[in-house]
Amino acid sequence: MLYVVVDGFFGDTGKGKITAYLAMADKPALCVRTGAPNAGHTVVWNGEVTVLRSLPTCFVNPGSKLAVAPGALIKIDVFLSEVRRFGEGRSYVDYNTGVIEDVHLERERRDEFLMKTVGSTGQGVGAAMVDRVLRRLRLAREFEELKPYLADVPAMIHEHKEGGVVIEGTQGTFLSLYHGTYPYVTSRDVTASGVLSEAGVGPKAVDHVVLVFKAYVTRVGNGPLPGELPPEEAERRGWAERGAVTGRPRRAAPFNMELAKRAVLLNTPTQIAITKIDVLFKDASGKTKWADLPPEARRWIEEVEEALGVPVTLIGTGPEPHHMVDLRKEKGI
């Protein structure tokens, strides 16, 4: 079984939590992270908040191998630090994964348009992608310190499919270079198609695309956010958050059905996950059964499902991965 997990809004929807839950519940043999270290995926594990920028959040299952896709980018120090903390003896990076060096950070942080207008995280990702397009970027296979971890990740995906594979996308649909709110976007395509391309997987190999929404919308940096609330109102509703990598405040807006419909069109999901239902409906906190959710939460979820025409199968009800209502069996998935 091959799962792909992608974000339906502007990032920050809880892809890391969903991936971690799938790791615990399905115990996949292999998990693969795409994207770059400008995106931090947060997992609350045993009460501790953990942000990963290179490895997939499947580290919570000690039996899963952890790999970085060939189309991804890493910073060597970040990758090695996460390997030491979470994945010693089971972490891999593809031979063709791109490497961000100090020169890329310096170049990006000198670019006023990127830093001030677009609102870049300044992690060197855009500059490294430019070098990759120009065929100048150095790849993982060229660095001695990465040699113990080098692997053919697309081959690994196909070898481990029977035991279960989860591919973890980054950022969000509307930050896609091609399908997002250009120019206020990231430097890659982060829809399901882009994630598969980075991982080295053809569409016919995929069993499930899980599109992750949050019960409200947040966005870090500049660019349009329909229905944006004043910061004090976001604070009052309990929607005030900060970016996992930069610590910048996230702007907030109510759940946007039109954006969600567009995300469904662009990603063709087989399942939808919705996180932070407990923030919208306090009585949903920590519930793990559909019948235990408050009636108003169930109605809201059913309305989303009907409007999008895709089954809602995973419902996040708290910070830890196990705070989840899993309806996959009930819906025949």
Side-chain angles (χ1 to χ4, degrees):
M1 190 70 72
L2 196 157
Y3 270 77
V4 180
V5 180
V6 290
D7 185 304
F9 285 146
F10 297 95
D12 315 319
T13 59
K15 295 178 299 301
K17 173 193 167 71
I18 296 298
T19 303
Y21 174 77
L22 290 173
M24 289 172 50
D26 298 1
K27 297 181 170 45
L30 173 68
C31 295
V32 179
R33 167 81 182 251
T34 60
N38 56 341
H41 291 186
T42 304
V43 179
V44 180
W45 184 241
N46 296 328
E48 184 180 341
V49 178
T50 299
V51 178
L52 283 91
R53 296 169 57 195
S54 291
L55 292 181
T57 54
C58 288
F59 78 91
V60 297
N61 174 36
S64 295
K65 293 178 181 177
L66 311 173
V68 181
L73 296 172
I74 60 166
K75 282 184 85 261
I76 291 177
D77 58 335
V78 173
F79 172 76
L80 293 179
S81 169
E82 291 184 2
V83 169
R84 283 191 294 270
R85 290 182 64 197
F86 308 113
E88 200 69 69
R90 58 174 175 142
S91 295
Y92 304 86
V93 62
D94 193 88
Y95 294 96
N96 292 327
T97 301
V99 175
I100 299 170
E101 300 184 76
D102 289 344
V103 64
H104 298 118
L105 276 78
E106 292 161 11
R107 197 187 309 159
E108 196 156 292
R109 290 172 184 179
R110 287 198 305 266
D111 189 317
E112 270 197 41
F113 174 74
L114 279 179
M115 298 306 296
K116 292 185 179 175
T117 303
V118 174
S120 167
T121 60
Q123 298 300 309
V125 174
M129 289 298 286
V130 168
D131 276 1
R132 182 139 205 177
V133 171
L134 294 173
R135 279 80 80 196
R136 293 174 179 152
L137 188 69
R138 297 172 72 197
L139 304 181
R141 64 190 182 212
E142 300 175 56
F143 291 84
E144 191 67 32
E145 57 267 53
L146 293 178
K147 286 204 170 162
Y149 309 101
L150 293 176
D152 180 345
V153 172
M156 287 180 71
I157 292 170
H158 289 280
E159 286 163 12
H160 289 83
K161 189 181 173 188
E162 199 170 307
V165 176
V166 177
I167 301 175
E168 182 178 355
T170 58
Q171 297 170 307
T173 293
F174 299 104
L175 297 179
S176 164
L177 180 62
Y178 306 130
H179 308 294
T181 55
Y182 189 90
Y184 306 102
V185 294
T186 192
S187 53
R188 58 187 358 103
D189 181 18
V190 289
T191 63
S193 301
V195 169
L196 290 174
S197 174
E198 285 198 13
V201 178
K204 288 177 71 176
V206 177
D207 296 291
H208 286 288
V209 176
V210 180
L211 187 60
V212 185
F213 296 114
K214 193 157 56 182
Y216 48 98
V217 186
T218 56
R219 177 170 196 166
V220 172
N222 300 334
L225 178 59
E228 182 173 359
L229 298 174
E232 57 274 14
E233 177 60 17
E235 185 81 43
R236 188 188 69 78
R237 296 189 188 195
W239 299 359
E241 301 174 357
R242 290 189 172 270
V245 172
T246 62
R248 293 183 296 183
R250 293 173 180 163
R251 299 147 59 201
F255 188 91
N256 188 306
M257 194 64 76
E258 292 311 306
L259 285 179
K261 288 177 179 177
R262 181 70 179 173
V264 166
L265 181 148
L266 291 169
N267 292 285
T268 58
T270 59
Q271 303 178 45
I272 285 172
I274 302 178
T275 63
K276 298 210 172 180
I277 284 290
D278 53 304
V279 177
L280 215 56
F281 304 98
K282 306 298 181 191
D283 292 344
S285 182
K287 305 301 185 194
T288 58
K289 294 180 181 175
W290 175 255
D292 293 339
L293 292 176
E296 61 273 21
R298 295 202 302 267
R299 277 196 302 274
W300 187 87
I301 293 163
E302 287 168 345
E303 286 169 7
V304 170
E305 183 176 77
E306 185 177 352
L308 300 182
V310 181
V312 175
T313 56
L314 299 169
I315 302 160
T317 60
E320 299 252 1
H322 66 270
H323 294 141
M324 188 78 68
V325 177
D326 186 343
L327 300 175
R328 289 180 293 168
K329 283 183 183 172
E330 287 88 333
K331 300 200 174 180
I333 293 172

